[in-house]
Amino acid sequence: MLSFYYNVESRKLAASLISRCLYENYLVREALKLWPDMKDDTTLMCARHALIHFEADKELFRRNPEYIDQQIDWLEQLINILSKGESIPKNILESYEEYYVIPVSFKSRILKFFAKILYPFISILTNILKLFKS
């Protein structure tokens, strides 16, 4: 229950930061300094990427006014989703996957480490047991 609360509060903070950048001329780099810990939350990763993209495309906005409208619409949708603590729809998250690596949790890394170390021993024990059975 605590992790759910943590994600909701983190997403609400992210919504607030995006809103400040969009409507209050708050600097994106300042918002990124305050960005909540993302852990394994792909919604926060995707939203962070969208905010960075918005900042990086300033020159493109001057050349293509329609593009800025699309970006603003997308950020407004993000604000709406995140302010409710909801997840970004899966199909949208999948389109952003190439831009970020989902961090492997510490437990997962430990399990992989031990599996890698223990596999040869388990393999040898299995072969020994087969010899005794025959």
Side-chain angles (χ1 to χ4, degrees), residues 66-126:
E66 290 176 13
Y67 182 69
I68 191 169
D69 292 338
Q70 293 170 351
Q71 286 291 89
I72 290 171
D73 287 347
W74 171 227
L75 290 174
E76 287 174 340
Q77 287 177 17
L78 281 176
I79 292 166
N80 185 37
I81 291 167
L82 295 170
S83 65
K84 296 176 194 171
E86 296 175 352
S87 295
I88 293 172
K90 188 173 181 135
N91 63 323
I92 295 172
L93 287 176
E94 288 171 354
S95 70
Y96 274 83
E97 278 181 354
E98 65 183 274
Y99 300 110
Y100 54 79
V101 176
I102 299 171
V104 179
S105 71
F106 183 67
K107 289 179 187 176
S108 175
R109 285 185 287 185
I110 288 175
L111 288 174
K112 286 180 183 176
F113 174 74
F114 280 115
K116 194 182 244 185
I117 289 175
L118 294 176
Y119 180 76
F121 297 112
I122 292 170
S123 183
I124 292 169
L125 285 174
T126 305

Side-chain angles (χ1 to χ4, degrees), residues 11-58:
R11 290 173 181 179
K12 287 180 179 181
L13 172 60
S16 171
L17 292 168
I18 293 171
S19 179
R20 290 175 70 187
C21 291
L22 199 54
Y23 302 117
E24 300 173 20
N25 291 326
Y26 194 69
L27 296 175
V28 170
R29 72 172 176 263
E30 295 303 319
L32 294 176
K33 289 178 187 176
L34 300 174
W35 198 261
D37 184 16
M38 296 179 284
K39 296 203 183 223
D40 295 330
D41 190 339
T42 53
T43 289
L44 285 175
M45 290 179 200
C46 180
R48 182 178 183 272
H49 181 82
L51 185 60
I52 291 170
H53 202 340
F54 178 72
E55 177 70 16
D57 288 347
K58 295 284 184 179

